[in-house]
Amino acid sequence: YDAAEEYIRFSEETAGSDDLVTQVVWRSSRAIVLVQRGELESAVTLAEEATTLAADADFLDLSASALAALAEVLIAAGMDDAAAAAAERASATYALKGNVVGARKAAALAPTPRG
């Protein structure tokens, strides 16, 4: 994760503000790194930012990827209902694109109900 952080920081520092793909990817990636460090609140914030940015684009795989990262972060934060919703949205978005593998992976992210 330390090596990833170096590349994420480079992306953040060099990406143009209008480079939507890079803006979404660095936020999603840093959110995953922050989860590994236990910085859950910051991770959730970044993952939500990435999802919001991606929603404004006409790029279904980017949007689905941001939603999948959000689901992973929400699972780590113990927000299972929100994580399940994000995973379901990611899966549906991948399916719209015809990305069957992405749809299955995203669906598998959904936490199982506790009982």
Side-chain angles (χ1 to χ4, degrees):
Y1 292 98
D2 290 337
E5 180 67 20
E6 180 181 333
Y7 292 110
I8 294 164
R9 188 172 293 114
F10 177 80
S11 294
E12 178 185 6
E13 292 170 358
T14 60
S17 60
D18 61 342
D19 182 353
L20 185 62
V21 172
T22 304
Q23 293 294 334
V24 170
V25 171
W26 79 253
R27 282 174 172 81
S28 294
S29 300
R30 175 156 304 135
I32 300 299
V33 170
L34 291 174
V35 162
Q36 297 304 313
R37 294 185 180 155
E39 298 177 38
L40 300 177
E41 188 174 321
S42 295
V44 170
T45 298
L46 273 178
E48 288 174 340
E49 285 177 14
T51 302
T52 299
L53 286 171
D56 292 337
D58 186 24
F59 190 169
L60 292 175
D61 273 341
L62 180 67
S63 183
S65 176
L67 285 163
L70 176 61
E72 288 185 51
V73 169
L74 293 171
I75 290 166
M79 302 170 71
D80 288 351
D81 290 343
E88 183 178 314
R89 286 177 46 215
S91 181
T93 304
Y94 276 128
L96 279 174
K97 178 64 177 170
N99 184 340
V100 177
V101 174
R104 286 183 184 156
K105 285 183 178 181
L109 289 172
T112 55
R114 298 176 191 186

